[in-house]
Amino acid sequence: MTPAEPAPDPVPWHARTAQATCAALATGPDGLTQDEAARRLDRFGPNELPPAPRTHPALRFLAQFNNALIYFLLSAALAAMALGHVVDGAVILAVVLINAVVGFVQEGKAERALDAIRDMIAPQAVVLRQGQRHVIDTRRIVPGDIVAVEAGDKVPADLRLLRARGLSADEAILTGESVPAEKTETPVAPDAVLGDRAPILHSGTLITTGQGLGVAVATGPRTQIGRISGMIGAVQTLTTPLLRQINGFGTRFTWFAIATGALLFAFATLLRGYDPLEALMVVVALAVGVVPEGLPAVITITLAIGVRRMAARNAVVRRLPAVETLGATSVICSDKTGTLTRNEMTVRHLVTAAGLTAVSGTGYAPQGGRLAAPDGTAAAADPAR
């Protein structure tokens, strides 16, 4: 019997009975055979989130030069060499190169540290295959596998419970609730929200009490946590405040130097009668002289020191500018589960003796009004109290 794709039916897994779930996945109480598990592994892929795309080392090194100030320094170095100021140009190029090497090496160390951490974490799970218990790598779990969990285990995949004994799970990473959710094998309504899906154990959550046996209904990126990971991966990457300031300074400085040089060149040739070539050499020499070639190196060294201090506190920073962003953070709003929040509560409905009244408003802002009167008719937009 060929297994169906995860959730092929409009009826979600939490609304199905255990028998219907097993039938849809072509499995049973004894689990899959080893051959069938291997075929499904080839079909559905490993039970892991897709890794973030890696940047080629050459591109990562070239990215160190992607800065308006660096562009100006390189242009000034080339201009200095073209006019015979070889020493000045070489010094500028050396500073820029050292700055790029330091950033490249630091990012490489962070990548290797994160890879080492991932390799150290090799979670395993207990599955039933052909009626026998096997301890396997969680990456080899496939839809249809019968998985056993107990207190202290991390749920390896999205499971539809077949049996539960005093089972509860900490689902704070998905729902933000600090209290563990009780789990049973009884189906719930199809439109039940995530926190009310009692017969489902979600991948990545932690079993706090009891024991359970469930069938894997989703693995890898098809799990609930996998969908969240996909949404996070689609978020646009923003430039850090420090890089924005450096780029802004570099852009302004470049235009200022060009404008000043043009004015000096016009003054020297038109008003003072200098030869155009001599005037150009003087203008370029002045531009090279005002170049802040030490600024990128100072910034990189300062950030590298911050990264070393973070590493001493067991915090791995992948990119140097992220240290400045973290250092500029003054307030972190977090509730008891660690969920980031603005700590604002908003009233949506008022219950009085006259009935239920809907109101508008956001947070602590003193704006809002009644949306509906107790009798259901539209209300005038007067301030909500």
Side-chain angles (χ1 to χ4, degrees):
M1 185 175 181
T2 304
E5 292 285 348
D9 196 279
V11 180
W13 296 116
H14 56 267
R16 304 187 190 198
T17 63
Q19 294 79 7
T21 301
C22 289
L25 293 168
T27 187
D30 292 336
L32 304 172
T33 64
Q34 295 292 357
D35 292 340
E36 179 62 22
R39 285 193 293 269
R40 296 193 186 191
L41 184 62
D42 291 337
R43 179 180 179 183
F44 296 109
N47 177 35
E48 61 182 355
L49 299 181
R54 291 294 186 91
T55 303
H56 191 277
L59 296 178
R60 190 156 51 85
F61 179 73
L62 293 176
Q64 309 298 322
F65 299 93
N66 188 21
N67 182 287
L69 184 59
I70 298 297
Y71 295 153
F72 181 78
L73 291 175
L74 292 175
S75 301
L78 295 177
M81 290 183 174
L83 294 175
H85 299 273
V86 179
V87 176
D88 292 340
V91 169
I92 296 175
L93 288 178
V95 171
V96 172
L97 183 61
I98 292 174
N99 172 76
V101 169
V102 171
F104 176 78
V105 171
Q106 176 56 42
E107 291 183 8
K109 288 182 178 179
E111 291 285 352
R112 289 192 294 272
L114 292 175
D115 290 340
I117 292 173
R118 280 191 288 267
D119 293 338
M120 289 173 59
I121 302 174
Q124 295 180 323
V126 177
V127 301
L128 288 178
R129 287 184 177 174
Q130 295 177 279
Q132 296 183 352
R133 294 168 68 94
H134 298 271
V135 179
I136 66 172
D137 191 322
T138 57
R139 289 174 293 188
R140 301 188 64 81
I141 293 177
V142 296
D145 262 329
I146 305 299
V147 183
V149 293
E150 60 182 12
D153 289 346
K154 190 175 183 180
V155 180
D158 281 2
L159 308 178
R160 200 307 181 180
L161 285 172
L162 305 178
R163 185 171 67 248
R165 295 178 180 174
L167 191 64
S168 62
D170 181 358
E171 298 181 336
I173 62 171
L174 296 176
T175 64
E177 293 293 336
S178 61
V179 179
E182 295 185 3
K183 294 296 181 177
T184 65
E185 62 268 27
T186 305
V188 295
D191 58 350
V193 296
L194 187 66
D196 294 337
R197 298 174 185 176
I200 298 293
L201 288 175
H202 296 286
S203 177
T205 59
L206 184 67
I207 302 299
T208 55
T209 60
Q211 297 176 331
L213 193 68
V215 55
V217 296
T219 58
R222 293 174 292 275
T223 61
Q224 191 67 35
I225 195 70
R227 287 192 285 270
I228 294 175
S229 176
M231 290 187 291
I232 293 176
V235 174
Q236 181 183 3
T237 303
L238 300 178
T239 306
T240 64
L242 178 63
L243 291 181
R244 286 200 299 268
Q245 293 173 3
I246 293 175
N247 283 328
F249 170 77
T251 302
R252 292 191 299 270
F253 184 84
T254 300
W255 285 112
F256 172 78
I258 293 175
T260 304
L263 291 176
L264 288 175
F265 181 79
F267 176 80
T269 55
L270 298 179
L271 299 181
R272 296 300 182 184
Y274 278 85
D275 180 74
L277 182 59
E278 293 181 359
L280 180 62
M281 293 182 63
V282 172
V283 169
V284 172
L286 290 176
V288 172
V290 300
V291 168
E293 64 271 5
L295 181 59
V298 171
I299 294 174
T300 301
I301 292 172
T302 303
L303 294 178
I305 293 174
V307 169
R308 290 178 60 87
R309 290 182 177 178
M310 292 293 292
R313 291 166 173 79
N314 302 320
V316 179
V317 179
R318 178 176 295 181
R319 301 191 58 178
L320 287 178
V323 177
E324 184 270 341
T325 304
L326 183 61
T329 303
S330 56
V331 177
I332 297 178
C333 300
S334 176
D335 64 9
K336 57 185 177 294
T337 63
T339 307
L340 294 181
T341 176
R342 295 181 62 183
N343 198 27
E344 292 183 355
M345 297 182 66
T346 302
V347 176
R348 295 300 184 191
H349 297 86
L350 298 178
V351 180
T352 65
L356 182 67
T357 302
V359 296
S360 63
T362 303
Y364 297 114
Q367 290 88 26
R370 289 185 299 169
L371 299 179
D375 58 1
T377 59
D382 54 349
R385 296 179 175 86

